[in-house]
Amino acid sequence: MTGYYVPRGGLPAQTELTTDRAVFTTAYAVLPRGTMRDIVTSQLPHWRETRAWVIARPLSGFAETFSQYVVEVSPGGGSDRPDLDPTAEGVLFVVDGTVHLTIAGIDHRLGPGGYAFLPPGATWSLRNDSAETATFHWIRKAYEHVDGIDVPEAFVTQETEVRAEPMPGTDGAWSTQRFVDPLDTRHDMHVNIVNFEPGGAIPFPETHVMEHGLYVLEGKAVYLLNKDWVEVQAGDFMWLRAFCPQACYAGGPGRFRYLLYKDVNRHATLSQHPRL
């Protein structure tokens, strides 16, 4: 089974150094896994026995299009009113334990690698009825409606059921597991898994319109963020502003994999400036 990184909280000892790899700039941010401690968790309304690490939120100079949580649900916890925003769509990706997810009255059990897409206005609930904690990523975005294009329907799948598609010319060293068809313009966000075999690379500085959120599920790499090469490992989160150059060298010895958010398939919003 894939070994997804799971934060456990706690606090470092008083004798440990405070120096870490945390970086926050106008072009990118790196939240190392060591920043996800007990004292930085949040409580969510109408969630029981649950805590969340909020690792991205819409904020001036930071994420603009999405929020991302790492949610830990204790036994008996969950919510019957999980999201109070009717405009929000979401993706859940389970990394530890098992959750019982109900969407429009249909029950699903999601273990590690379980993936669910929740359209705006979906009726859903989630609970942990096991004896162990369960942890999942929850990525939320305000859905951008387009006249003449239907809202996509909810679906549930498993990572192992989604084929890794090699990037052209890489012999499988770099591949992507796409949970929705990239040509399906009903979807205005993609949440995929990107895989690198040891020694695999993004061999040029990608510089393009999409905002990115990258949570490292497994392995380690050296990642180019703007002009800086940064070491990252399982449990780290990276935010990249639109057009921030990025490239990657996977370090091994195992695979390097991350959960990737990006906004897609919509016109750029134009500011309304008063005419002079």
Side-chain angles (χ1 to χ4, degrees), residues 3 25 55 58 61 75 101 107 110 113 136 144 146 167 241 244 250 265:
T25 76
I55 56 178
L101 175 67
D107 293 332
L110 277 67
F136 62 92
E144 297 180 55
V146 176
M167 299 296 284
R241 192 173 189 168
C244 177
N265 296 337

Side-chain angles (χ1 to χ4, degrees), residues 2-149:
T2 299
Y4 309 115
Y5 184 86
V6 181
R8 299 299 183 188
L11 285 174
Q14 291 285 294
T15 54
E16 290 190 25
L17 296 177
T18 59
T19 305
D20 203 345
R21 296 166 291 112
V23 179
F24 193 97
T25 76
T26 56
Y28 72 88
V30 178
L31 278 63
R33 67 191 191 187
T35 64
M36 297 179 200
R37 302 293 185 172
D38 291 347
I39 63 171
V40 297
T41 57
S42 297
Q43 304 301 309
L44 301 174
H46 301 297
W47 283 81
R48 306 174 306 277
E49 302 297 325
T50 298
R51 63 179 184 172
W53 286 276
V54 179
I55 56 178
R57 54 166 286 189
L59 180 72
S60 177
F62 189 41
E64 296 181 353
T65 60
F66 75 108
S67 67
Q68 184 164 345
Y69 312 151
V70 183
V71 183
E72 180 187 88
V73 185
S74 296
S79 179
D80 297 321
R81 300 176 62 190
D83 198 330
L84 307 180
D85 186 344
T87 72
E89 60 184 325
V91 163
L92 310 181
F93 183 74
V94 180
V95 292
D96 188 48
T98 303
V99 298
H100 184 142
L101 175 67
T102 302
I103 307 173
I106 300 175
D107 293 332
H108 308 271
R109 297 194 73 83
L110 277 67
Y115 182 109
F117 171 74
L118 304 163
T123 301
W124 63 283
S125 62
L126 183 146
R127 69 178 186 271
N128 177 6
D129 52 14
S130 75
E132 305 294 334
T133 60
T135 304
F136 62 92
H137 288 258
W138 182 7
I139 297 172
R140 302 169 66 243
K141 181 182 183 297
Y143 184 73
E144 297 180 55
H145 292 269
V146 176
D147 183 45
I149 296 179

Side-chain angles (χ1 to χ4, degrees), residues 34 41 83-84 120 136 157 163 175 178 214 230 235 242 250:
T41 57
D83 198 330
L84 307 180
F136 62 92
T157 187
R163 185 174 69 90
S175 64
R178 297 182 173 91
L214 289 72
V230 178

Side-chain angles (χ1 to χ4, degrees), residues 219-242:
K220 62 179 181 177
V222 181
Y223 219 93
L224 176 66
L225 299 167
N226 201 11
K227 297 180 179 181
D228 305 318
W229 286 98
V230 178
E231 287 187 297
V232 293
Q233 64 180 340
D236 293 350
F237 175 74
M238 293 173 276
W239 164 78
L240 285 68
R241 192 173 189 168

